[in-house]
Amino acid sequence: MKRIGLLLVLGGVLAVIAQPSAMIPEQVRIDTGLLSGVSGSTQATVRAFKGIPFAAPPLGENRWKAPQAAAKWEGVRKADAFGAPCAAGAPPAGRGGGGGRGPGAPGAAATPPGPVAPAVVLPPREPARAEDCLYANVWTSATSANDKRPVMVWIYGGGFSGGSGGQTWYDGEALAAKGPVIVTFNYRLGSLGFFAHPDLAKEAGHPGSGNYGMMDAIAMLQWVKRNIAAFGGDPSKVTIAGESAGAIMVGALVGSPQAKGLFARAIAQSGGWMGLQMGRMRPASAAEADGVNAMKTLGVSTIAELRAKPLNELAIQGQSGLVIDGYLIPEDLSLTFQAGKQNAVDVLTGSNADEANFGICPGAGLNGRAGGTPMTAANLRTQAERRFGSEAAESFVRMYNVTSDADAPKAAHVACGDEVNWNMRQWAVAQAAKGKNAFTYFFTHVQNVNGQPSPQGATHTSELSFMFNNPKGQPNQTWTDVDLKVADQMSSYWANFIMKGDPNGAGLPPWPEYKSLTTSKVMVFGDSPQVEVATPAAKLVFYSGAYQRMLRSSTN
């Protein structure tokens, strides 16, 4: 596509205004046909391709099957609009894209008290949720198919029951302008993505069932291997990245033998293979038993009858999330990582200071309540005893200086963030032990919402708009110059890691590698990035000890 400079006469002088440099062609050919993209809305050097089918619609016989090949098309397919986000079954799950309060759910930040200006009604960014939803989006600032730019494939959060690749805060335009090719996609959710049943395992011909959403992620990575070069991307330099449920999926892919060789780097934000906090993975046997009971509740006796049910009748509860299926996930991934059997890839991991304000830990959020009752010293001790044992609970209470009921809410809040922080650090150590680059961050910056600091603080998901460099990532963001600078710096670190496996670069404060849980230091993203002053070694040792006791009890 030719670029012609715009001619203006200014004070009798003919001036030429520089036009954007060459971009990837408006049309690209992938293995299923020709696509026509669109120019970026804010970045003149970026072209976007939206709503690309990377697999066949998972409808009818394809429901609860591994993703099938997408159909080829004749002529040129317009790639100018997002495809439908994935439905999660019926009734709507209320977490993720709908603004619920589940892990990774967008729109969960509380609105501060006081008058709020009426929201501007904009056309919907995405169609309504549907079962036909396996679509991808690509943003690229490459100038030709020969550029071989490194690639990031983003996996969204939403508690495995909400979210989508087309949400505003995942817009890849600004990040793509810094060099890498950015890919987002939809994966199946809720009971449509994770329903398990012994008959489905028999049909598949391999152990276990469920994890169809994870199969979608693997199919997406295989699509990237085949097609990303057409967008100027390098299929040998792929980074998988995600937040919350997306980070859990990243952990599962790093630990899965079926994903080996599909990516070279991984970014995990506020989530790991065991979840946000330490915990055991669910075996397929338990999930399949629930699947048998669910079919009885629905009054069907065969998978064929279940597949024939319309979406609005497919009310299956408790079938949302990864399970040990013996195939994609051969064993509890904690055992895989403990033995060093995970895929050897570079990692960038991290979490936020106020994770608890999203409601991810009982009694640790803004209202300081535990299961509907006020968080007290006794409640905190009971929770600690249940999770860590009576002896460790005593150490826990001392470590967080809980001497009265007044201390308990703050202690619970801080401990929630500390445990997620430990989870992300120990993952970095596991990859460093395999000789790979590892970097970890802790996000403390509080953004402006409706003209004032967010009452949620640096809560779960609050770093997303910053690492994507997206000031319009959420409708109520009203960023200051400080917010804009933090976003520019964070997105540069992320782009550097995607490009070369190291976030460091010109003009950025040095970010140290992370190798030791007790001596290495993380990068703290406050109003400016700086290395933490001191490692919280005592807390990290406590959570590591609790984790080891959990692993021993799970293998006895």
Side-chain angles (χ1 to χ4, degrees), residues 409-420:
K410 180 180 178 181
H413 177 96
V414 174
C416 178
D418 285 345
E419 188 172 346
V420 183

Side-chain angles (χ1 to χ4, degrees), residues 196-210 212 288 303 307:
H197 192 280
D199 288 349
L200 288 172
K202 292 177 185 177
E203 181 183 276
H206 56 67
S209 59
Y212 300 102
E288 289 177 354
I303 295 296
R307 283 183 171 135

